[in-house]
Each structure stands twice: as structure tokens, then as C-alpha cells.
Amino acid sequence: FWEKMGSLSANSNQKITVVFSVDGLEDTNDLYRRYVKWDILNRNIITFTKNGGIGIQEFLIFNHNEHQLEEAAEQNVEWGLKYITFT
């Protein structure tokens, strides 16, 4: 799925952009995003971007993750996403 979505996004003339709502790092994301398995999330985003997908990250700030903003921005670059928003 994510391989195909990446290819579709890459060939869409920037008409298909996927928003990934990741609110923390491996140790805090599931406090708000229940039942999200980090290893699957990580694999899906990497598969999407390696296939040319254009994506952004939307990061909701809570008390439990506010100390991770800099690391989250670095993770966003590692994933190959276009940018990250903090709300």
C-alpha cells in the first residue's frame, strides 16, 4: 500500500501529499495515538518516502512530548518528509 501511495504521490505533480500525525517519538507517540506500533509506523513512512512520496508530519504538542520537538524534527528529516508542523 505505502509503496503504491509513494509512487502515486511522486507522479501526481504535487497533488497528492500525505499527512502523518505522529505526536512524539517511539516512547511517547502511543500515549495519544493509541495502538500505533512504532516499528510499523516507521516502516510505512520510510516505504512511502523511498518511493517518492511527498509527505508532511503533523505533531500535536502535549506535556508528555514537548521535550521531544527537536528530536522529532530530526526524525522527520530522516524519514524524508517535506516538513513538520507543531501544534
Side-chain angles (χ1 to χ4, degrees):
F1 176 84
W2 288 108
E3 189 174 323
K4 189 176 251 183
M5 280 301 296
S7 295
L8 286 170
S9 176
N11 296 311
S12 73
N13 200 21
Q14 297 189 358
K15 292 180 182 170
I16 299 174
T17 301
V18 174
V19 177
F20 292 95
S21 296
V22 183
D23 307 317
L25 299 174
E26 185 172 9
D27 61 332
T28 58
N29 183 66
D30 68 338
L31 296 176
Y32 182 72
R33 301 285 174 185
R34 299 284 184 188
Y35 311 111
V36 173
K37 302 219 180 297
W38 185 263
D39 56 331
I40 295 171
L41 169 82
N42 188 55
R43 182 190 69 213
N44 291 345
I45 294 173
I46 290 170
T47 300
F48 175 76
T49 57
K50 286 197 178 204
N51 284 278
I54 300 166
I56 62 173
Q57 180 181 350
E58 197 173 68
F59 186 111
L60 299 178
I61 302 172
F62 298 100
N63 289 337
H64 66 265
N65 67 9
E66 65 186 353
H67 65 285
Q68 296 178 319
L69 303 184
E70 188 175 320
E71 287 177 275
E74 291 169 8
Q75 178 69 65
N76 194 69
V77 171
E78 288 177 30
W79 279 333
L81 297 172
K82 195 166 186 168
Y83 61 88
I84 185 171
T85 61
F86 296 103
T87 335

